[in-house]
Amino acid sequence: MIDTERMTELSVEFLDAAYLEIVERARRLAEQYFEQAQRLLGEEGKTHVPILIGVQQISLNAWGFYWVRVH
């Protein structure tokens, strides 16, 4: 359990920076996945990527990461 009495401003800043790094990595992963899926499906003559990785900001300090089926 986190001891909030010992939590410092520095630790909060560290967690914020780590969280933003995770969000950025998720965005890059989503882009790379889409590009590779397009390339592989294009080799089969297909143009539609049926599943994507969604990265969505839910609120000011919350993000969601989803597998999204595209119809």
Side-chain angles (χ1 to χ4, degrees):
M1 182 170 209
I2 297 174
D3 182 359
T4 56
E5 292 180 16
R6 294 187 61 200
M7 186 176 281
T8 66
E9 189 67 28
L10 182 59
S11 63
V12 172
E13 290 175 7
F14 172 79
L15 291 173
D16 286 344
Y19 189 69
L20 290 175
E21 176 63 26
I22 291 170
V23 170
E24 185 56 36
R25 286 182 182 197
R27 285 181 173 156
R28 284 194 307 260
L29 175 65
E31 290 172 7
Q32 292 169 351
Y33 168 80
F34 180 73
E35 291 169 1
Q36 186 167 353
Q38 275 189 317
R39 190 170 34 255
L40 292 172
L41 290 169
E43 292 173 2
E44 298 175 8
K46 299 176 184 176
T47 58
H48 174 68
V49 179
I51 297 175
L52 301 174
I53 299 172
V55 180
Q56 178 182 14
Q57 186 169 13
I58 299 168
S59 69
L60 184 60
N61 62 348
W63 290 80
F65 310 100
Y66 310 94
W67 282 104
V68 182
R69 184 178 170 110
V70 180
H71 296 280

